[in-house]
Amino acid sequence: MEILTDENIKLISVADTAEYRYPNVTENTETNVTDHIDQIVAEHSDPTDKFPFMKALRSRENHSDPCGGKYIFLHTLPRRFNADMLKDCKNLNQWVDMCKFSLNYGLGLPLKNKENVFTKKGWFATDQFALDLIFNNRMRHYECLTSDPAMAAAFFVPFYAGIDVGRYLWGPYNISVRDAASLELVTWLVRRPEWKIMRGKDHFLVGGRITWDFRRRTDSESDWGNKLLVLPELKNISMLVIESSPWHANDFAVPYPTYFHPAKDKEVIDWQKRVRRFNRPWLFSFVGAPRPQQVDSIRGQIIDQCRRSSRCRLLECGTGKNSCYSPSNVMRVFQGSVFCLQPQGDSFTRRSAFDSILAGCVPVFFHPASAYTQYIWHLPRNYSKYSVFISEDDIREGNTLIEQRLLKLSQDQISKMREEVIKLIPKLVYADPRSKLTKIRDAFDISVEAVIDRVAKLRMNIVNGVHENEPDESYSWKYPLLEPGADTVVGEYEWDHFFYKQKEG
């Protein structure tokens, strides 16, 4: 297989332009990308082309092939990088027996529906960090796998990155133990001829945890996590995580797993119909625990405001018998609420935001990195269509009463937002890996298509000899906010202070 030269490979940077770092996945964009590829392959029809991926680009022209331009090459990794980790499932988590969560391709045990909170099919007790298993199992059943690297629109690395790091985050594990699998993976990958085609820029993997678990800043034993995402060899790879970094360019946020994993389109449609009929006696609700150890947390103020309001439903989580661990308890609160408060958790994001959307509850965010600069492939760019934003600064300083702010919204505004939320449900759930939705694109489909689209653009840059200056990674969070076609030079923005404080802190 012919490999790109250093001269050609340097034409694509880790992030390229803002457009390539954050591709807009819309029908129009997909059409434009296809048209552009058609033009490029027409200009490079010589079978002796020096670019080893031209066959993959040309496959996009074959409209009789349902997999044209969509083929994925699935690396066959040694079992120690994935399946063997599950042999010790009881010790994957210090507090929870992960064996039951690894059942059913990572979906966990089916949920009982004694209280009629769920529908009859498709509901499981899914762990919020189970994406490694769910995504990898879906990829093994992907209908457009290929064994021909030249046909691959992208290359998938089935490494259980989240499971690997999760087993060593707590306890007496030194950095050598935490980094061992990541370093072994790099050694294995860089020797592969498929990796050398684009030095990993056409590869992607999934880490079912937040990005900070893979970004250890130092080699101090007391520092958190491993250094998978800071390894020089992996700077080019696309890593899908449940929370990305606002200041780095090699990770992309995808939805947390929820409890709903439909096997058929009808199960999604039936659930959406049911969500529209829910009686919602509570104006707003909060499910969560205070964070007294976090100086800047606003959870205490949110809980106080909820307690003082007759229109708020509070499900407070804590130690001991914790009703928040019951999916039916959590979903019942969301199903009965018009708005669901989603402040920062231990990090920017929360699984709760996706559970609330699944219940048709309009999320209220207090920090832009909790959703708006994260899930750019899955959520609307215009965040006001499906959510309410209240600055956490206003809560912290006592300038805003949440109840009064929400009461100012008209019933028409609320109805439109709720309908947008309900329309989002198919895009945010992961279908059962043992099945395939026929017409509905779920979170997996959208993620894979976005990666393929990104790789195609990178390849087009190489073919066209386009060399873009790398944008400043410290402004990565801003790129999704730019208008299409806008200059990539990023200036002042109203949310600057949110990210400046977090970064400096």
Side-chain angles (χ1 to χ4, degrees):
M1 179 181 298
E2 188 170 3
I3 307 302
L4 288 180
T5 65
D6 288 339
E7 182 64 25
N8 283 327
I9 201 68
K10 72 181 182 181
L11 293 174
I12 46 178
S13 64
V14 172
D16 282 292
T17 64
E19 178 184 4
Y20 300 139
R21 168 64 175 90
Y22 292 104
N24 295 317
V25 182
T26 65
E27 292 182 2
N28 290 337
T29 301
E30 186 174 343
T31 301
N32 292 337
V33 170
T34 302
D35 292 343
H36 196 177
I37 290 177
D38 289 345
Q39 178 182 350
I40 286 177
V41 297
E43 296 171 355
H44 297 80
S45 56
D46 185 350
T48 63
D49 275 328
K50 61 182 178 181
F51 303 112
F53 46 70
M54 288 307 298
K55 185 177 179 181
L57 287 179
R58 289 193 189 97
S59 74
R60 194 104 170 206
E61 289 184 298
N62 186 0
H63 302 300
S64 63
D65 181 2
C67 290
K70 300 178 182 178
Y71 286 104
I72 298 292
F73 183 95
L74 177 62
H75 278 287
T76 303
L77 291 180
R79 290 176 60 88
R80 67 180 182 276
F81 292 116
N82 41 55
D84 283 353
M85 294 184 193
L86 300 181
K87 293 179 179 179
D88 194 27
C89 56
K90 289 186 177 180
N91 295 316
L92 290 177
N93 187 296
Q94 185 173 338
W95 299 280
V96 179
D97 181 357
M98 293 299 294
C99 295
K100 61 182 179 181
F101 291 114
S102 65
L103 298 174
N104 294 311
Y105 290 75
L107 305 184
L109 294 170
L111 285 173
K112 298 179 181 179
N113 193 26
K114 294 180 180 179
E115 299 164 320
N116 199 32
V117 176
F118 315 111
T119 44
K120 292 182 180 180
K121 297 180 179 180
W123 293 84
F124 299 83
T126 305
D127 185 76
Q128 65 174 332
F129 300 126
L131 190 59
D132 295 57
L133 294 175
I134 296 170
F135 204 101
N136 278 270
N137 283 315
R138 277 291 301 278
M139 186 57 71
R140 290 187 178 93
H141 292 83
Y142 183 64
E143 64 274 19
C144 295
L145 293 178
T146 180
S147 59
D148 182 2
M151 283 292 289
F155 296 79
F156 183 67
V157 183
F159 174 47
Y160 289 171
I163 293 177
D164 170 52
V165 71
R167 56 186 173 170
Y168 302 130
L169 288 176
W170 295 272
Y173 302 107
N174 60 36
I175 59 173
S176 296
V177 172
R178 285 181 267 161
D179 292 338
S182 298
L183 294 173
E184 289 179 21
L185 176 71
V186 167
T187 300
W188 188 92
L189 275 176
V190 298
R191 294 174 178 172
R192 299 292 303 175
E194 299 87 6
W195 178 266
K196 296 174 183 177
I197 295 173
M198 291 179 67
R199 310 287 172 84
K201 290 177 168 62
D202 50 3
H203 281 57
F204 71 110
L205 58 82
V206 171
R209 299 190 69 93
I210 63 175
T211 190
W212 315 110
D213 294 339
F214 309 103
R215 291 190 179 279
R216 195 181 69 247
R217 295 169 297 176
T218 73
D219 282 338
S220 169
E221 296 291 349
S222 61
D223 208 349
W224 180 262
N226 68 23
K227 58 181 182 181
L228 176 67
L229 277 177
V230 299
L231 293 172
E233 296 86 351
L234 295 189
K235 287 282 189 173
N236 294 332
I237 202 169
S238 296
M239 183 154 171
L240 311 187
V241 290
I242 53 179
E243 175 179 320
S244 63
S245 165
W247 309 292
H248 299 90
N250 58 338
D251 57 357
F252 300 83
V254 296
Y256 282 73
T258 63
Y259 302 115
F260 187 38
H261 304 282
K264 298 179 180 179
D265 291 359
K266 187 177 184 301
E267 293 175 16
V268 180
I269 296 169
D270 287 348
W271 176 250
Q272 289 175 298
K273 290 179 180 178
R274 182 172 178 178
V275 168
R276 290 187 177 96
R277 298 193 300 265
F278 283 144
N279 178 38
R280 301 181 185 271
W282 306 102
L283 175 64
F284 62 111
S285 64
F286 176 63
V287 176
R291 291 288 192 275
Q293 73 280 11
Q294 296 179 8
V295 177
D296 293 331
S297 175
I298 61 169
R299 287 189 171 209
Q301 290 97 317
I302 284 177
I303 290 173
D304 288 343
Q305 287 200 31
C306 187
R307 284 175 175 158
R308 293 197 299 266
S309 172
S310 61
R311 295 183 172 93
C312 184
R313 173 72 167 91
L314 176 64
L315 182 61
E316 192 168 358
C317 309
T319 58
K321 188 176 180 180
N322 196 336
S323 57
C324 295
Y325 290 148
S326 166
S328 59
N329 286 346
V330 172
M331 292 300 292
R332 189 186 302 108
V333 171
F334 292 154
Q335 291 171 11
S337 307
V338 178
F339 297 97
C340 292
L341 309 184
Q342 302 297 345
Q344 294 187 68
D346 294 323
S347 60
F348 290 124
T349 63
R350 304 178 72 203
R351 171 196 171 141
S352 174
F354 295 95
D355 289 335
S356 65
I357 291 174
L358 181 61
C361 186
V362 178
V364 180
F365 295 110
F366 301 85
H367 194 292
S370 292
Y372 307 147
T373 62
Q374 292 280 347
Y375 308 100
I376 56 173
W377 296 338
H378 300 80
L379 296 177
R381 190 168 180 271
N382 182 359
Y383 60 85
S384 63
K385 292 176 63 177
Y386 71 93
S387 70
V388 174
F389 179 67
I390 301 175
S391 172
E392 63 180 27
D393 295 330
D394 291 335
I395 301 297
R396 191 178 295 112
E397 296 166 9
N399 297 330
T400 299
L401 289 178
I402 298 170
E403 180 177 342
Q404 292 181 2
R405 172 69 181 276
L406 298 179
L407 285 173
K408 290 180 180 179
L409 296 167
S410 68
Q411 285 302 313
D412 182 60
Q413 289 176 296
I414 293 173
S415 296
K416 288 180 179 178
M417 280 192 286
R418 182 184 303 136
E419 187 58 29
E420 286 295 327
V421 165
I422 295 172
K423 288 179 180 178
L424 283 175
I425 291 174
K427 299 179 180 180
L428 304 182
V429 299
Y430 295 93
D432 191 318
R434 296 162 290 193
S435 63
K436 176 71 169 72
L437 305 182
T438 56
K439 295 181 180 180
I440 290 175
R441 295 162 64 242
D442 72 342
F444 172 88
D445 294 323
I446 292 172
S447 302
V448 172
E449 289 171 14
V451 170
I452 289 174
D453 191 43
R454 180 172 185 264
V455 172
K457 290 178 179 180
L458 292 172
R459 288 173 169 175
M460 287 187 290
N461 264 5
I462 295 175
V463 174
N464 287 334
V466 175
H467 176 65
E468 299 286 349
N469 294 325
E470 293 186 22
D472 187 340
E473 279 194 323
S474 64
Y475 296 126
S476 288
W477 66 271
K478 289 188 178 183
Y479 299 138
L481 309 176
L482 295 175
E483 293 295 334
D487 195 316
T488 58
V489 176
V490 181
E492 292 184 1
Y493 196 86
E494 60 181 313
W495 289 341
D496 281 347
H497 68 286
F498 285 107
F499 298 95
Y500 174 78
K501 287 190 299 184
Q502 290 284 350
K503 185 180 181 182
E504 295 302 315

